[in-house]
Amino acid sequence: MSERVLVKQLQSLPDSPVSVSGWVETVRDQKKVQFVVLRDETGAVQLVNPATRPDVEAVEGAEPQNADALALTDTISALTTGTFLTVHGELKHDERVKLGGVEIKVGWLEIAALALPEMPIAADSAQDKRMDWRFLDLRQRRNNLIFRVQTTLEHAMRTWWIERDFIEIHSPKLMASASESNAELFALEYFGEQTAYLAQSPQFFKQMAQSAGFGKIFEIGDVYRADPSFTSRHATEFTSIDAEISWIDSYEDVARMQEELLAYSIGAVADKHGTQIEELFGVTVVAPTVPFPRIPLAEAHDIVTARGYDIPRADGDLDPEGERQISAHVKEVYGHDFVFITDYPHEIRAFYHMRDDETGLTKSYDLLYNGVEITTGAQREHRVDILIEQAKQKGLEPEHLDFYFDFFRYGVPPHGGFGMGLARVLMLMLGESSIREVTYLFRGPTRLSP
C-alpha cells in the first residue's frame, strides 16, 4: 500500500510531491485551466491543471503537442462528481487559495472508480430521497462530522466508565420472552421449534450482572421496538446506552452517575469538535453543569399548566409539548438544558421499577434534554416476591419470566440503572430535527433499506 497523504495533513507539509486519494466534489473545466475539488474523509483540496487543448489547425514547423498533457486534460474534462481517484502532483502553498491555502498541481491521476454522470440526490433533496441514497448523503461534510461526534461521545462515555471500574457487557439480542412487556416485540421463528424475540432492551441481563456480582456495568448496543411510530424521535432499531450499578440507596445514585457521565462526555465533544459544530450546525456545545435540576412529575404538571398548556394525556405522563414546556421553564429559571423529572406513578412504569412504600410512586426518573426525553432511569425492585406481584399487576405471566426471577431467588443487591437513546442525544446536541439525520442507517416502520 503506497503512502497516502490525508487532506488535513497538507497544510503542515512543505511544497513537495504528494499523493492524495478521495472523491471528486466539483470540476471547473475552463479553457486555459482546470480546477477540481477533491474531498477525502478529513477535508477538501483544490487540484489545478493548465489545460492543453488540441490545436484546431497545426502550425507548420511547431513542436507537436504533448500527448500526456492532452490526455490529462481530457481525463479531467470527463471527471464526474463522486468519482474516486488518486492524484499525484506537486503541493503548493498559496495564501490566495481559499480552500486551506494550498493546492496540488496535477501530475497524473489514477481513477479507482468512475461515477455515473448524474447524481440521484443533492444536498437540498427531501429527507426520504436522501435516505434512499444514504451512502451519497453521508459524503456531506456535516454528515461526516455527525459520526465523528458520535465516536467521540461513545469513547468519552467508555473512558468515564472504565476509569471508574465499570465492566462492559454485550447482552444477547435474541430472547425467549419479552424484556419490557408483551407489546412492541419483533418475533421470529427460531429453528422451526420455538419463537424468539428481538430484545427491546438489555434490561434483564443488566440486572443479571448485579446478581452475578459485577457491581457496575454498561453496554452500548442495538435494541428493537416493534413500534409503528412515525415521529422524528422513534425508530424500530436504535442504539441504546445502558448502565446498571449495585448497592444504591435510591434512584439519586443512578441520576448522579448519569449526569456526571453526560457532563464529561459532552465536554469531550465540545473540546474536540466544538468549532466545527458551530460552523456546520450553528450550535454551541458546552459541557452541562452538575447537578442537573430535578422536578417531581406532579410539580412539572403544575408548572406546565401555569404556562398555559393543558396536557391531554389521561395517564398522567408528559406529552411532547409538555416536555418542551417544562424544559423551557428550566432553561428560563435555571439556565440548564437538562432536567430530571422524578416520581412517576407505577401505572405508567415498568413492572421492575421499585415503588415507594408511602406514596406508591416509583423510584424513577425521566431525563429531558433540550425539551425531549432521552432516558428512563430507576431503582429496581430486588425483592423477588414483590417483583413477581408487580409483574402480575402488569398483566405478565410469571412463568414466562421465570428465568428472570431466578436472578433474584439466589440473592441480588439493591441496584438501579438507566437506558438512553444515542441518536436522540446526538440529534439534540446538534440541533437536528430528526434522529434520521444522525442515524447511520435509519430503520422505521416503512424503511428497511438501504
Side-chain angles (χ1 to χ4, degrees), residues 238-387:
F238 61 94
T239 301
S240 184
I241 301 166
D242 287 84
E244 203 81 11
I245 54 178
S246 286
W247 299 111
I248 67 171
D249 294 320
S250 78
Y251 68 81
E252 268 293 335
D253 298 297
V254 180
R256 280 194 295 271
M257 179 260 290
Q258 186 175 11
E259 65 189 0
E260 291 174 12
L261 171 78
L262 283 167
Y264 177 86
S265 305
I266 293 173
V269 169
D271 290 344
K272 188 167 184 176
H273 307 289
T275 300
Q276 282 186 297
I277 292 172
E278 191 148 8
E279 175 193 353
L280 296 176
F281 291 89
V283 173
T284 301
V285 176
V286 295
T289 58
V290 294
F292 298 173
R294 277 108 161 120
I295 300 176
L297 179 62
E299 183 182 335
H301 272 272
D302 292 339
I303 292 169
V304 170
T305 300
R307 292 176 66 87
Y309 179 68
D310 293 324
I311 298 171
R313 292 184 60 151
D315 61 5
D317 203 355
L318 297 173
D319 69 342
E321 180 58 29
E323 292 175 350
R324 287 189 285 270
Q325 289 290 334
I326 193 63
S327 294
H329 166 81
V330 168
K331 188 69 173 178
E332 293 163 7
V333 175
Y334 301 101
H336 215 288
D337 294 331
F338 289 88
V339 59
F340 287 111
I341 307 298
T342 65
D343 303 304
Y344 279 75
H346 67 81
E347 291 85 357
I348 56 175
R349 289 313 221 193
F351 76 90
Y352 48 78
H353 285 195
M354 183 177 281
R355 302 174 189 177
D356 186 276
D357 291 335
E358 294 183 4
T359 67
L361 300 174
T362 58
K363 299 181 179 183
S364 70
Y365 65 80
D366 276 0
L367 178 59
L368 309 184
Y369 178 23
N370 285 336
V372 176
E373 179 260 311
I374 60 169
T375 295
T376 294
Q379 181 170 1
R380 318 304 187 188
E381 180 53 70
H382 64 281
R383 296 163 293 184
V384 67
D385 53 338
I386 297 175
L387 191 62

Side-chain angles (χ1 to χ4, degrees), residues 14 77 110 114 116 136 150 168 186 201 208 228-229 241 258 263 275 289 315 327 333 369 391-392 407 414 443:
S77 295
E110 294 180 68
L114 192 65
L116 292 174
L136 297 176
Q150 175 181 286
E168 183 171 11
F186 284 113
S201 160
M208 188 188 83
S229 295
I241 301 166
Q258 186 175 11
T275 300
T289 58
D315 61 5
S327 294
V333 175
Y369 178 23
K392 290 178 181 178
F407 303 159
R443 290 292 178 261

Side-chain angles (χ1 to χ4, degrees), residues 47 95 128 130 152 159 165 194 224 232 237 275 353 392:
L47 315 182
E95 62 184 18
D128 274 350
R130 290 188 290 105
T152 298
T159 298
D165 293 326
Q194 65 182 108
Y224 305 87
S232 62
E237 177 184 0
T275 300
H353 285 195
K392 290 178 181 178

